[in-house]
Each structure stands twice: as structure tokens, then as C-alpha cells.
Amino acid sequence: MSTMDTLISHEASIRIWAFLSVFAILAAWEMVAPRRALLTSKARRWLANLGILIVNGALVRAIFPAAAVGIAMVADQRSIGLLHFLELPMPLKIILAIIALDLAIYLQHVMFHAVPLLWRLHRVHHADLDFDVTTGTRFHPIEILLSMVIKMAAIFLIGAPVLAVLIFEIVLNLTSMFNHSNIRIPKSADGLLRLFIVTPDMHRVHHSIEPAETNSNFGFNLPWWDRLFGTYRPEPAAGHELMTIGIEQFRTKEDQRLDRMLLMPFRDNANSYSINRRVAIR
């Protein structure tokens, strides 16, 4: 069995161990050097946020047992996608595929803010009243399934190599925890890091209650897309310590329960956060 075959056969185990290792490191970092004081019960939030993660994981494996890596294998076997028509070294194809997949995730994120029906799903993520490592795992199951369909389409269109998809899936999972973590990073280090990766201070702006800030900093891995498409905002107007996290709806303790989170897309109105909506910061 080749190294590639070994990686693919152990894909689930690799992802789980990578998740647990990085989660433990970030959770410990949050305890030692938190960026903000949490306003709500950590135990209650973690129970709900990690609970929805478990629901999502089981659902994806049940509906898409091959997941993204399996789709990449099909595309590779049938030579589907742009990169199959380009005579490029495999390392370069892998790099280009990872960058292209990251752009697809950025555009998908913008779309989930711009379309009211999709915002209904995505606001489950934004309705968290605090911002820590578990916020990066908090997505409605229907959003996760739609995201998987979009990702599969992107893989076919790009012709992403199997190894590129495996790397991207692991990195996306880990960076989602990192850029949602409540960790303190020196400002000089943060300024350097955000040239290459989305940092917690950069992404936290996106979780502000202010619509103009909610509609900024959509990137998950690479920070370049926000600068390229004009959605970059360096800091929240109120500062990181004083900014209000969440959305105007669903601000009670009961709203943070797992059952209420699962029903959230079907409650209240959509209150669209369209990317074209320009709202002055109060």
C-alpha cells in the first residue's frame, strides 16, 4: 500500500486526532491567556456547540460516506476538472487546488450572508453570545450538508488532487478552531500572521453585532480574499474587549440550547445581512 493509500484509508482517524490535539491546545491557551472575558456559561455553551458538532459529523458520514476525499478520487479517476487539463507538476497542482478551494469557501460564506434563506441557516453560527474555540464547530446541520454539496461541486470543477483535498479538509477544520479561539496574540505577531492566515482578532470582527462588521472578514484560512474583494476590516469600532458578539436576535440563555439551535432557522424572520446592505456602525 502506498503512502497516499495509507493516508486516504486513515483519513477519518487523521482528522479526529488532528482535531482533538489542536482543540486541546487552543482550549488550554484560552484558559492561560484569554482575549476577552466570557459573558455566558462556558459549560452550557460547550455542551451545545460540541453537541451540534457530533450531530453534524454523524449526519455527514451517513449521507456522504465518501466525503470530499472520495469525491476527489472519483474526479481523479475520470479526469474531471480544470487541473486535469493543465500540464503542471503535482506539487503546484496541489497548491493551486488548495488556494482555489479556499476561494470557493470564501465565496460560499459571502453567499450565506447575502441570501436571506441561507442566512437563516448561517445565523446559528453567529448567534453564539461568546467567541471561543467551540464557536468554530457551531454550524447548523443543513448548512453543513449544503456546504458539502458546494465543496463537491468545487472539487469537480477544479479537478483538485486527492492529497490537496485531504490537506484542505484538515486545515479548514483546524483553522476554523484557531480563528474562532479566544486567545491573546501580541499585536505585532497578529499583524504579521494576518498577512498569511486569518487570525482570531481578524475573524472576531465578523462576529460583531454591528451589521457593517458582520459583513466583513469572511475568510477562514487565507486573508487575501477580503482585501481583494473589499470586505476587509482591521478592527471593530468598539475594540475587541468592548464589542458585542452575536446578532440582535436569539440572545437568551434558552436560545443557546442545542434543541433551540436546531430550530433556529425556522424561527423569527431572516433579517438579511446582505453584502450590499450598508449600515452605519452605531
Side-chain angles (χ1 to χ4, degrees):
M1 182 179 290
S2 67
T3 302
M4 175 65 74
D5 291 336
T6 301
L7 287 173
I8 294 170
S9 63
H10 292 89
E11 178 243 350
S13 297
I14 293 171
R15 293 185 64 177
I16 289 172
W17 281 110
F19 170 85
L20 292 175
S21 299
V22 172
F23 183 91
I25 292 170
L26 293 172
W29 192 344
E30 288 181 338
M31 293 178 62
V32 174
R35 183 68 167 93
R36 287 167 47 98
L38 299 182
L39 303 178
T40 57
S41 167
K42 190 170 186 176
R44 182 179 297 169
R45 284 183 56 256
W46 278 35
L47 182 64
N49 289 356
L50 295 178
I52 205 167
L53 170 68
I54 293 171
V55 171
N56 290 338
L59 196 60
V60 168
R61 285 295 171 180
I63 297 177
F64 301 109
V69 172
I71 294 300
M73 292 176 66
V74 173
D76 183 62
Q77 292 165 0
R78 300 182 182 181
S79 298
I80 298 173
L82 177 62
L83 289 178
H84 289 289
F85 298 98
L86 300 178
E87 295 294 331
L88 298 171
M90 182 54 68
L92 181 56
K93 283 188 176 184
I94 290 172
I95 293 171
L96 291 175
I98 291 173
I99 293 173
L101 286 170
D102 195 69
L103 174 59
I105 293 296
Y106 168 88
L107 295 174
Q108 173 193 302
H109 194 176
V110 173
M111 182 175 68
F112 270 81
H113 278 249
V115 179
L117 183 62
L118 297 178
W119 171 250
R120 281 186 172 273
L121 300 171
H122 189 59
R123 65 187 179 178
V124 173
H125 178 63
H126 279 268
D128 200 342
L129 300 179
D130 275 314
F131 183 94
D132 71 7
V133 63
T134 65
T135 307
T137 70
R138 174 181 166 138
F139 295 93
H140 195 274
I142 300 176
E143 178 177 0
I144 291 295
L145 295 179
L146 284 176
S147 297
M148 180 59 71
V149 172
I150 293 170
K151 194 185 302 178
M152 288 176 175
I155 290 169
F156 271 120
L157 180 64
I158 296 165
V162 177
L163 183 56
V165 174
L166 177 59
I167 293 171
F168 181 76
E169 287 286 270
I170 293 172
V171 169
L172 181 65
N173 186 263
L174 302 186
T175 54
S176 181
M177 289 190 291
F178 169 71
N179 59 43
H180 285 92
S181 57
N182 184 34
I183 57 177
R184 183 173 296 277
I185 298 175
K187 190 169 184 177
S188 57
D190 180 87
L192 180 61
L193 281 173
R194 70 169 65 184
L195 295 176
F196 307 100
I197 188 173
V198 175
T199 66
D201 271 15
M202 178 178 169
H203 191 68
R204 190 179 296 106
V205 180
H206 181 72
H207 282 258
S208 166
I209 197 172
E210 301 291 349
E213 294 178 343
T214 308
N215 284 321
S216 68
N217 298 8
F218 291 95
F220 263 73
N221 293 324
L222 301 174
W224 312 328
W225 313 123
D226 284 299
R227 291 180 171 87
L228 181 63
F229 295 109
T231 55
Y232 177 66
R233 185 179 292 270
E235 300 288 336
H240 284 284
E241 286 78 10
L242 298 178
M243 68 180 286
T244 300
I245 299 292
I247 56 178
E248 293 178 356
Q249 300 156 288
F250 314 120
R251 300 197 65 83
T252 69
K253 291 181 180 179
E254 289 73 23
D255 287 326
Q256 306 307 310
R257 297 196 323 241
L258 177 58
D259 60 328
R260 299 292 287 271
M261 288 161 57
L262 292 173
L263 292 173
M264 198 174 288
F266 314 104
R267 298 168 53 206
D268 209 343
N269 60 66
N271 273 14
S272 173
Y273 280 84
S274 169
I275 191 63
N276 295 315
R277 179 185 174 200
R278 301 303 182 191
V279 181
I281 297 176
R282 294 189 293 266

